Amino acid sequence: MWDFLIHGFGVAITPLNIGLVLIGSLLGTLFGALPGIGPINGIAILMPLAYTLGLPPESALILLAGIYTGSEYGGRMSSILLNVPGDAGAVMTTIDGYPLAQKGLAGPALGLSAVSSFVGATLAIVGLTLFAPLLAIVSVKFGPAEYFGLMLFAFASMSAMMGNDPVKTLIGAVLGILVATIGIDSGTGVMRFTFDMPELYDGIDFVVLIIGLFAISEILLMLEEAFHSKGDGAIAPIGRVMVSWKEVMFCKWTMLRSSLIGFVIGVLPGTGASVASAVAYTTEKRVSDRDGTFGHGDMRGLAAPEAANNASAAGSFVPMLTLGIPGSGTTAILLGALMLYNITPGPTLFSDQPVIVGGLIASLYIGNVVLLALNLPLAGVFARVLTVPKWVLVPGVAILSFVGVYQLHSDLMAIYLMLIIGVFGYLLRKFGFSLAPIILGFVLGRLMEENLRRALAISGGDVSILWESALSLGLWIAAVAVMVAPWVLGRRKGPSVAHAAESKAEELAAD
């Protein structure tokens, strides 16, 4: 059972992969610290470069996973110092992090949030190591009908839990499915939505789609913000960054509770760090806030969301590695990275690609230690990133985006398509749509269609095969339950802090 982890450490400690863990952790922290960039944009920008550099799949995934986990660490910096979340998972960090900075405790707040992130990520990686192999044993029993039920459950989870506007989430997912259908149908040879353009016969490339949707739309948003902005916000003085042992012990139960909440929510498909941090914060406020100090600079109010969002990031790897369904928008892009290497994500990934899975999990252990070592003593250095002006940042992101797509395709049509998709993504974000459901719809839509066809081919067209087995029937029931439960609970409760956080998270285009 533990062979995969032993082999994984053998893969992760090679000089190349150790170097990629360091680079990914460093770049991820920088991407997370810059408001608006975040893990999705960071991975979208660097994924084509990793592919064109000829990195083996396990090394590319280690680099991208380092960026993901590093971004979750870095997102707290602008939340604490500027009251502007670096990514959606750090929205709740602003509530007590910024008041602490205003009290002259920016340094201890950065130190405690780094320790909380480390605790949350560590516990979640241990959970990933323990539970992923068990779930993988069950997942090999999946056939095409069970696969279809699993995709249905993933879509149901996403529509019910991503944001407080399920209609926009549903529209985004449908858009993603429609984009996935473009090109020649591999089963029948029929051309779908190609408009007689040979460039569309192979469909929309995943890299072109994510760079257009995330990086180009982000560039347009940064240009718009720079045009209207009258100046960058001032950064609070940092002072000492080493948190005291007494402060850590004061928050120990908060970190443990929030880590558990973050891991469980991260495992659920389609949720993400923003939901985990909101639920952890509201839970901790109910449990611990006896003096009404939450919201006014309470260390526990800072530790809770940071432990939860990092635990959620590690937890989201569980459904990705064992079932082939993304736990978040960012892991949907990581699944897309596997597809670039012709590796089919799904229940057999754990058994067919133990080197990749084991290497990734082992690198998470190493990367978490590296991130703590980077973020504790160098918090003041990373904070300087927040002073980088937009006129430097925008050209840098644009150059990486254009070079990445052109290196992969050597075709101007791909550049034009990326720009068109970027403008479309910009308009969607202006109208309040989250882009993550589009990626989830794109990734899951193709798998769902393929397995529906296989199931119907096996049964000779009899649709009852889709719910005949106990496993597939259970997935159908679970899909209905996750769609109905929020509606039922919402009628019994008023608006919550969690919903408010999700609204803010949507403005950041989700994680």
Side-chain angles (χ1 to χ4, degrees):
M1 178 176 173
W2 303 108
D3 290 348
F4 79 97
L5 192 59
I6 296 170
H7 293 308
F9 271 104
V11 171
I13 61 174
T14 60
L16 171 64
N17 290 334
I18 285 287
L20 292 174
V21 169
L22 290 171
I23 294 171
S25 301
L26 180 62
L27 290 178
T29 304
L30 294 174
F31 286 146
L34 291 168
I37 300 295
I40 286 188
N41 289 325
I43 292 174
I45 292 168
L46 288 183
M47 188 171 71
L49 292 180
Y51 183 73
T52 52
L53 285 174
L55 293 177
E58 64 273 13
S59 299
L61 207 58
I62 286 172
L63 171 66
L64 300 179
I67 294 172
Y68 182 21
T69 52
S71 295
E72 295 301 333
Y73 267 76
R76 78 197 197 284
M77 291 186 182
S78 58
S79 297
I80 294 170
L81 298 175
L82 294 177
N83 201 25
V84 177
D87 62 358
V91 168
M92 302 305 289
T93 306
T94 60
I95 297 177
D96 279 286
Y98 188 63
L100 281 169
Q102 288 180 312
K103 292 178 181 177
L105 296 172
L110 286 172
L112 178 67
S113 57
V115 173
S116 303
S117 301
F118 177 78
V119 172
T122 300
L123 293 178
I125 297 168
V126 171
L128 169 66
T129 309
L130 293 175
F131 293 113
L134 300 177
L135 194 55
I137 293 173
V138 177
S139 64
V140 296
K141 301 182 185 299
F142 279 54
E146 288 77 14
Y147 244 134
F148 179 81
L150 185 63
M151 301 301 146
L152 197 69
F153 172 68
F155 277 118
S157 302
M158 181 173 59
S159 65
M161 305 189 76
M162 284 192 67
N164 61 354
D165 194 339
V167 175
K168 286 182 178 176
T169 303
L170 181 62
I171 292 173
V174 171
L175 280 174
I177 293 172
L178 289 176
V179 173
T181 61
I182 294 174
I184 299 176
D185 183 358
S186 59
T188 62
V190 173
M191 294 185 188
R192 302 188 296 193
F193 310 116
T194 57
F195 306 104
D196 293 328
M197 296 174 66
E199 294 84 0
L200 295 180
Y201 287 174
D202 292 330
I204 302 290
D205 183 78
F206 183 72
V207 172
V208 173
L209 178 68
I210 62 164
I211 289 189
L213 270 183
F214 291 97
I216 300 301
S217 68
E218 187 61 41
I219 289 172
L220 296 175
L221 285 173
M222 284 195 287
L223 288 173
E224 180 187 359
E225 185 184 340
F227 182 77
H228 292 293
S229 176
K230 294 180 180 177
D232 294 329
I235 296 177
I238 295 175
R240 68 177 173 96
V241 294
M242 296 305 291
V243 63
S244 69
W245 181 250
K246 183 180 177 182
E247 289 166 334
V248 174
M249 285 296 102
F250 179 63
C251 300
K252 61 179 184 299
W253 296 117
T254 297
M255 288 188 273
L256 292 174
R257 277 192 293 267
S258 302
S259 300
L260 180 61
I261 291 171
F263 176 71
V264 172
I265 292 178
V267 170
L268 297 175
T271 51
S274 56
V275 177
S277 60
V279 173
Y281 183 87
T282 51
T283 303
E284 198 57 34
K285 182 176 171 64
R286 287 175 186 144
V287 171
S288 307
D289 189 18
R290 304 186 190 285
D291 302 322
T293 53
F294 274 54
H296 303 284
D298 192 306
M299 287 285 190
R300 295 166 298 182
L302 173 66
E306 280 305 305
N309 63 31
N310 283 273
S312 170
S316 65
F317 283 103
V318 175
M320 170 189 154
L321 295 177
T322 57
L323 301 174
I325 56 175
S328 65
T330 310
T331 48
I333 295 183
L334 292 177
L335 277 183
L338 289 176
M339 293 178 179
L340 280 179
Y341 286 94
N342 292 322
I343 296 172
T344 304
T348 58
L349 181 65
F350 216 95
S351 54
D352 292 346
Q353 303 288 345
V355 172
I356 293 177
V357 175
L360 174 63
I361 294 177
S363 76
L364 291 177
Y365 281 103
I366 299 170
N368 199 31
V369 176
V370 169
L371 282 167
L372 182 66
L374 286 175
N375 279 270
L376 266 184
L378 300 180
V381 177
F382 284 121
R384 299 296 173 201
V385 176
L386 299 176
T387 63
V388 175
K390 292 287 190 298
W391 62 267
V392 173
L393 200 58
V394 169
V397 175
I399 290 171
L400 286 172
S401 302
F402 280 78
V403 169
V405 169
Y406 193 77
Q407 273 190 334
L408 204 58
H409 293 278
S410 302
D411 182 7
L412 282 178
M413 184 62 190
I415 298 291
Y416 298 147
L417 196 57
M418 175 189 75
L419 293 174
I420 293 170
I421 293 172
V423 173
F424 184 61
Y426 167 77
L427 293 175
L428 286 176
R429 292 172 76 168
K430 294 299 291 181
F431 283 108
F433 282 84
S434 170
L435 300 180
I438 299 176
I439 297 300
L440 290 167
F442 184 82
V443 172
L444 296 180
R446 286 181 174 173
L447 296 173
M448 193 174 188
E449 182 186 10
E450 288 173 7
N451 285 285
L452 176 62
R453 283 185 169 178
R454 287 177 190 162
L456 293 179
I458 292 171
S459 68
D462 184 1
V463 294
S464 64
I465 191 176
L466 298 177
W467 50 80
E468 270 185 351
S469 73
L471 197 54
S472 55
L473 182 61
L475 288 166
W476 277 84
I477 294 172
V480 173
V482 297
M483 290 184 72
V484 173
W487 180 76
V488 173
L489 294 174
R491 291 177 64 89
R492 299 175 60 181
K493 296 180 180 178
S496 65
V497 177
H499 281 106
E502 289 174 35
S503 300
K504 290 183 181 178
E506 284 179 348
E507 294 171 5
L508 292 165
D511 59 338

